[in-house]
Structure formats: C-alpha cells, structure tokens
C-alpha cells in the first residue's frame, strides 16, 4: 500500500464507493469531485488542469473523478444537470464548487482555497 505522500491524489470514483472515497475521506482532507463523461468536450479540457493543480498541492487535497454515464446515482442526488460539474467536500459535506470549464487560473484558486 502506498503511503499517503506517494499515493496518487487523483482516482476514479463510483456511486458504490462515494461515501468512503469522498464523504468519509473529506473528514481528513478536502476532496474535489469531478463529474464528467467521455463524450463531454469541456470535461476533456478541464480534467488535465484540475489534475495538475491537485497534484501540485502535494497531498493537501484529493480528486475523485466520477463518470456519470457509468455512475448516475450520486450526480442525480446532487442535482448535477450539466457537466463538467466540480464540487469540493470538506468535513463530510459539499463546501464549494463550479460548473463548466473555467480558466486554469480559476482552477488554481479553487484548489488553493481548499
């Protein structure tokens, strides 16, 4: 098992593991959830910048990517109507978020705020 410092802070999530991967994990450190789909052009633009800034945070935050085509449950519960939809969880609940592809400078500020 990787130590927390060497483990990749970016992972793929699923409806079945959301409580563990996101809600429980966010009680120890902020977790960003990226709701996306393979056919979503803006998602493909957003993902590399989001992953870059999460990795640059050196373990201060985690990123869980959820493909809504394969895992529609949590996205539906959270009222996600368009993607990309990004939510930050801390203390077991959503605390911040944004919709759509945003400039990289905004992504950096979003990650830094957490």
């Amino acid at each position: 098992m990787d130590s927390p410092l060497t483990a990749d802070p970016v992972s793929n999530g699923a409806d079945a593991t959301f409580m563990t991967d996101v809600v429980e994990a966010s009680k120890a450190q902020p977790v960003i959830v990226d709701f996306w789909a393979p056919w979503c052009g803006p998602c493909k633009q957003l993902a590399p910048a989001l992953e870059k800034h999460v990795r640059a945070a050196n373990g201060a935050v985690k990123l869980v990517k959820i493909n809504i085509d394969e895992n529609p449950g949590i996205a539906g519960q959270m009222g996600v109507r368009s993607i990309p939809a990004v939510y930050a969880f801390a203390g077991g609940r959503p605390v911040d978020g944004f919709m759509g592809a945003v400039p990289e400078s905004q992504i950096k500020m979003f990650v830094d705020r957490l």
Side-chain angles (χ1 to χ4, degrees):
M1 186 88 186
D2 288 333
S3 78
L5 295 175
T6 59
D8 190 345
V10 177
S11 64
N12 290 309
D15 287 347
T17 58
F18 187 82
M19 288 302 291
T20 303
D21 293 347
V22 177
V23 177
E24 291 303 318
S26 75
K27 293 176 181 174
Q29 75 182 122
V31 178
I32 297 170
V33 181
D34 176 18
F35 291 101
W36 70 283
W39 47 264
C40 167
C43 298
K44 291 177 185 156
Q45 294 174 327
L46 178 70
L50 198 52
E51 291 174 19
K52 176 179 131 183
H53 289 291
V54 165
R55 288 188 173 111
N58 291 319
V61 296
K62 283 176 47 177
L63 173 64
V64 176
K65 300 169 57 145
I66 298 182
N67 178 338
I68 64 163
D69 284 350
E70 296 171 359
N71 300 281
I74 296 296
Q77 287 176 26
M78 293 193 60
V80 173
R81 298 275 174 263
S82 66
I83 53 173
V86 177
Y87 290 91
F89 281 74
R93 60 188 187 83
V95 295
D96 201 356
F98 62 88
M99 298 282 193
V102 299
E104 189 165 332
S105 59
Q106 275 184 260
I107 295 168
K108 181 178 180 346
M109 286 188 311
F110 179 78
V111 171
D112 289 348
R113 272 199 309 270
L114 298 171

